[in-house]
Amino acid sequence: MISVLNSQLDNIPLHHLYDVVKPVTLSSTSPDAKFSNWAKTFVCKPLAVFEPTDEYQCEVILAIARREGKVVRAVGVGHSPSDLACTNGFMLRTRHLNKVLSVDYEKRRVIAQGGITLNDLHARLAEHGLAMINVGSISDQTLAGIVTTATHGTGIHYGVMSTHVLSLTLLLADGSRVHCSRHEMPDLFMASICGLGSTGLILNIELEVEPAFRLRDEGCSRPFEDVVSNIEAIAHSAEHARLYWFPVADTVRISLLNRTHEEKKSNGNWLWDSLMGHHILQFMLFIGRYFGAVNFWATHLAAWLASADSVAVDDGYKVFNLDCRYLQYTTEWAIPYSNTEACLRDLRQFFREENESPDGARTHFPIEIRFSAPDDIWLSPSNGQQTCWIGIIQYKPYGFNVPYRRLFDGFEKILARHQGRPHWAKTHPLVPEDLRKLYPDFDKFITVLDQVDPSGVFRSEYIQRHILGKQVDSRTFKTRRT
């Protein structure tokens, strides 16, 4: 039901509404009026960019969109490697909606605005002796961003991060403010904790947390065959197991993370981590754009740098997080855990054939392999199944483009053959007829969208293409046709 307040907004002259949001409307000449994702692989020039500082301004922006028939796309920091955040309509940037509203140590929960970054949330939680239960490889994204894409960390008994959401406060397309959870408006809740921003603007998130903890990271490198033949034992050998596969070197770096009370211990080394592990490798990858054989040596150098046994101890989120190194193309898919060994062997054969072919794709490194527990979230890639996540990257040294399509196409075909589901924040080719086969509750999700946003206020180009099957070119926002 539309609130009295928003009924009033619909009756206010349009130019008065624009006056209300003028202070938070970016000038068309502002550098931020043009949006680029972190990897600079997709860009867009929205019709207008708003940076609201309170909920009322958000309500006014939606009222304008309803009156003018415009799409509103909510965006955090734009870390998604796909065009998920892009739009030719209105862009609502949430950078100022970034506060922690309450912390309850006894109940192990926090309520924060959706625009807060995980880095800021970690710091605020640490002040209260608390921490997120599981974290992915980076913490640059907003809390709403990781929730609405069911972003994951790793841990065979740990769900995607959306499983820790207790409730949401949403601003719907009609301007109404609603609260939902598994017990209150449960269908809207299940659609929104992996809803790609299409069910409404996420204002506040109530999140389950735990007492602050340290992680002990034990690392070692082993031959591919040794790892894949023992994947079951490795995945269950730690609270959080993650693997980094260097295909050309045929080795896998094993990282086993467990909670500990030990003192902090660093194993960093400037020579290895910065000079060789960052600068020299990036230069080699740059040369590899022109002489493919150099990629072979770059991979071997990277594998060698990561080959020593090591132990490190630090605050949990710091151990979970990694250095992404350079701008990159990336895609990631989730497969049923039971298919892990067969899928990795198929990928190994594919990578070998490409690397041995004179005109084949040259794989970068590493292939990241992680795990998650099954869940019941409608569009979560871990819905109904214990999951293995496999992610591939091609670096963009110094920001320059590199060939990646042939490699990614082959990768995606193999993952699809093993019943793969793509990570929602990353590029993929699937459309409704594909998704309907993968997600038993896909039509429930569509029903909720029709109920809460019948006029399509939140139906961005990404939603139109992948969820609704509209003819929206996947290359509309690409920076360069490579």
Side-chain angles (χ1 to χ4, degrees), residues 401-415:
N401 293 333
V402 297
Y404 71 96
R405 284 188 182 168
R406 174 171 172 166
L407 188 68
F408 281 23
D409 287 348
F411 174 87
E412 289 173 350
K413 287 175 183 176
I414 292 171
L415 273 290

Side-chain angles (χ1 to χ4, degrees), residues 60-352:
V60 172
I61 293 165
L62 291 186
I64 294 172
R66 289 195 301 273
R67 300 268 284 276
E68 297 205 330
K70 304 301 183 185
V71 165
V72 176
R73 190 57 178 154
V75 177
V77 297
H79 212 284
S80 171
S82 74
D83 64 341
L84 178 61
C86 290
T87 184
N88 288 321
F90 290 165
M91 179 171 284
L92 190 159
R93 304 197 71 161
T94 61
R95 65 177 63 182
H96 301 301
L97 305 173
N98 62 350
K99 299 175 180 60
V100 170
L101 303 177
S102 69
V103 178
D104 190 324
Y105 183 87
E106 297 302 322
K107 293 184 177 180
R108 309 289 196 261
R109 62 188 59 184
V110 59
I111 300 177
Q113 291 181 305
I116 192 171
T117 65
L118 297 195
N119 280 321
D120 287 345
L121 182 59
H122 295 324
R124 290 299 309 277
L125 288 174
E127 293 172 2
H128 297 271
L130 294 168
M132 292 181 66
I133 294 170
N134 200 1
V135 182
S137 296
I138 58 173
S139 289
D140 302 309
Q141 325 96 306
T142 62
L143 182 58
I146 64 112
V147 167
T148 199
T149 55
T151 295
H152 64 98
T154 192
I156 198 71
H157 299 300
Y158 288 79
V160 299
M161 286 184 271
S162 293
T163 60
H164 304 302
V165 176
L166 300 173
S167 69
L168 297 173
T169 301
L170 299 172
L171 190 61
L172 300 185
D174 66 5
S176 57
R177 190 178 190 273
V178 300
H179 185 265
C180 61
S181 67
R182 287 181 176 270
H183 308 292
E184 182 181 0
M185 303 183 71
D187 282 1
L188 178 58
F189 180 75
M190 297 304 286
S192 299
I193 53 176
C194 184
L196 313 175
S198 63
T199 60
L201 174 62
I202 297 178
L203 297 174
N204 304 330
I205 299 167
E206 182 183 16
L207 190 71
E208 179 187 13
V209 292
E210 68 172 277
F213 58 90
R214 291 176 182 167
L215 284 174
R216 175 186 173 91
D217 181 2
E218 297 184 63
C220 65
S221 291
R222 298 290 182 266
F224 174 90
E225 187 60 42
D226 290 356
V227 172
V228 173
S229 298
N230 295 283
I231 197 72
E232 176 81 10
I234 293 171
H236 287 84
S237 65
E239 293 176 302
H240 308 274
R242 58 189 181 192
L243 310 176
Y244 306 102
W245 173 23
F246 298 82
V248 172
D250 207 34
T251 60
V252 179
R253 177 75 177 176
I254 302 170
S255 179
L256 303 178
L257 314 180
N258 290 290
R259 284 159 178 74
T260 183
H261 296 291
E262 297 175 60
E263 294 298 315
K264 293 183 180 181
K265 177 181 180 181
S266 172
N267 62 0
N269 181 293
W270 178 85
L271 178 64
W272 281 181
D273 299 340
S274 182
L275 178 60
M276 298 187 71
H278 188 94
H279 297 293
I280 291 178
L281 274 176
Q282 181 167 214
F283 180 71
M284 293 178 72
L285 291 168
F286 175 74
I287 299 300
R289 297 175 69 240
Y290 309 99
F291 304 99
V294 178
N295 287 299
F296 173 87
W297 297 110
T299 300
H300 276 280
L301 174 60
W304 176 72
L305 290 171
S307 62
D309 291 357
S310 64
V311 174
V313 178
D314 209 334
D315 295 325
Y317 66 92
K318 294 179 181 177
V319 177
F320 282 132
N321 286 173
L322 302 169
D323 180 1
C324 285
R325 294 182 183 271
Y326 331 113
L327 301 182
Q328 57 197 241
Y329 298 103
T330 181
T331 187
E332 184 179 30
W333 289 55
I335 60 171
Y337 173 72
S338 57
N339 294 350
T340 301
E341 181 176 352
C343 183
L344 291 176
R345 292 190 184 281
D346 285 351
L347 285 172
R348 184 197 202 188
Q349 182 61 32
F350 167 64
F351 294 146
R352 277 183 168 175

Side-chain angles (χ1 to χ4, degrees), residues 384-398:
Q385 63 187 29
Q386 202 161 49
T387 300
C388 174
W389 299 80
I390 305 175
I392 185 172
I393 58 176
Q394 288 291 95
Y395 291 118
K396 299 174 60 181
Y398 306 114

